[in-house]
Amino acid sequence: MAQFTADQRTLNTHLIGFKASLKNILPIKEQERQYYQQFSNFLERYEEAQGQKSMEVGALSHVRLISGDRNAALKDKLEQMTQQFSNPFVHISHWVKGETWCLEALIEAVGEKDKLDTKKKNALSEIATLTDTINKLNANKFTFGSMFKNEAGKKEAAMQKESVKAQLEKDVKLYDVLKKYLTIYLATVAIPNFKKQRIEAYVRAMGRMADAEVRNAENNYDCWNNFQKTIVSYNIKY
């Protein structure tokens, strides 16, 4: 399990690094939508200017790509492509966030299990110290905590420390039980489920990204293919 935890920490570092990169990628993809919208507005304004009376003379004065009744559909295609554009990296962003949260939670759970050994060690050390102190108090020997107590006071202090010691001994047994249950749960439930869910989440995110890219590509093709047909109809070589 130690190697598993080390591997997940390395992976989490990689995810956190890419998560930072996504902060730059997401706006760039969103800007594509804005660029096409601005381009559509520019073309419309440009052709409106071309349609002014002062520009209506000449062999190609009739050429229009997005304005006029004939080409209204092309303008609609361009606007539709802009409106239907889907940022595929949104799905990756959600997936990376979820992956990071799940990894951190799992790593913390393993860490809490490992802390039980330290807690048990500290409790055993405290029990040993208490035992020594209790023996000295019962023998009416000197301790810094009881230097101003008489023999009866030392006996009472010893009884109080016996109560604390008894609770610590229960805690030691409890730490063993907790570690056993956590180890079994992590090994048979949490980690296998995590591995399965991680693969499922990865495939879902990539599938949604692929769907978004395919839809974007289809809309792009439909839009520019129609533009190309209109351009070809004017018999102007390019």
Side-chain angles (χ1 to χ4, degrees):
M1 193 172 291
Q3 185 59 51
F4 172 80
T5 304
D7 291 342
Q8 300 317 302
R9 289 187 188 279
T10 301
L11 175 59
N12 197 41
T13 300
H14 176 62
L15 285 166
I16 291 172
F18 186 67
K19 185 179 176 182
S21 299
L22 281 169
K23 291 181 179 180
N24 297 322
I25 296 173
L26 284 170
I28 291 173
K29 297 300 288 185
E30 287 296 335
Q31 284 172 3
E32 288 186 28
R33 183 204 306 271
Q34 299 174 13
Y35 292 154
Y36 276 118
Q37 185 62 58
Q38 292 169 7
F39 184 52
S40 174
N41 294 336
F42 161 73
L43 291 179
E44 186 174 18
R45 289 286 188 86
Y46 178 79
E47 291 195 359
E48 283 177 358
Q50 290 293 93
Q52 298 298 318
K53 289 185 178 181
S54 61
M55 298 291 291
E56 287 184 346
V57 179
L60 299 177
S61 61
H62 66 291
V63 173
R64 299 287 185 276
L65 294 180
I66 68 169
S67 61
D69 295 337
R70 175 187 174 189
N71 298 315
L74 290 182
K75 182 176 183 298
D76 291 342
K77 288 285 185 184
L78 190 55
E79 290 182 350
Q80 183 180 21
M81 182 188 73
T82 302
Q83 293 167 359
Q84 293 183 348
F85 173 82
S86 176
N87 190 338
F89 279 94
V90 167
H91 305 294
I92 301 303
S93 178
H94 294 331
W95 165 63
V96 169
K97 287 179 182 178
E99 189 82 350
T100 302
W101 292 336
C102 288
L103 266 175
E104 289 175 350
L106 185 62
I107 290 170
E108 185 175 355
V110 174
E112 288 298 320
K113 174 190 72 69
D114 293 339
K115 285 180 183 178
L116 291 173
D117 287 333
T118 301
K119 290 180 179 180
K120 178 182 176 181
K121 181 179 178 181
N122 291 339
L124 288 171
S125 176
E126 191 172 351
I127 288 171
T129 301
L130 283 169
T131 300
D132 182 60
T133 302
I134 291 168
N135 290 336
K136 287 180 179 179
L137 288 170
N138 287 331
N140 199 24
K141 292 182 178 179
F142 172 82
T143 66
F144 285 105
S146 64
M147 65 172 62
F148 298 115
K149 296 180 183 294
N150 56 26
E151 185 175 355
K154 290 180 180 180
K155 293 289 185 182
E156 183 180 352
M159 290 177 63
Q160 291 174 350
K161 292 185 181 298
E162 282 284 5
S163 178
V164 175
K165 176 185 172 184
Q167 183 58 54
L168 285 170
E169 288 171 341
K170 290 179 181 179
D171 289 345
V172 168
K173 293 179 180 179
L174 182 61
Y175 291 145
D176 287 335
V177 173
L178 282 174
K179 184 179 180 181
K180 179 180 178 181
Y181 276 109
L182 285 174
T183 300
I184 293 172
Y185 178 78
L186 285 168
T188 62
V189 179
I191 291 176
N193 284 347
F194 167 77
K195 291 178 178 179
K196 177 177 178 289
Q197 291 168 6
R198 189 172 75 181
I199 293 172
E200 291 173 343
Y202 169 58
V203 172
R204 279 196 297 268
M206 290 301 296
R208 289 166 183 167
M209 181 182 186
D211 286 346
E213 290 284 23
V214 168
R215 285 195 299 271
N216 289 340
E218 289 173 346
N219 289 332
N220 282 345
Y221 176 79
D222 182 53
C223 175
W224 297 114
N225 185 51
N226 279 278
F227 264 90
Q228 188 179 51
K229 289 178 181 177
T230 301
I231 291 167
V232 170
S233 71
Y234 287 119
N235 293 317
I236 299 174
K237 291 183 178 181
Y238 60 92

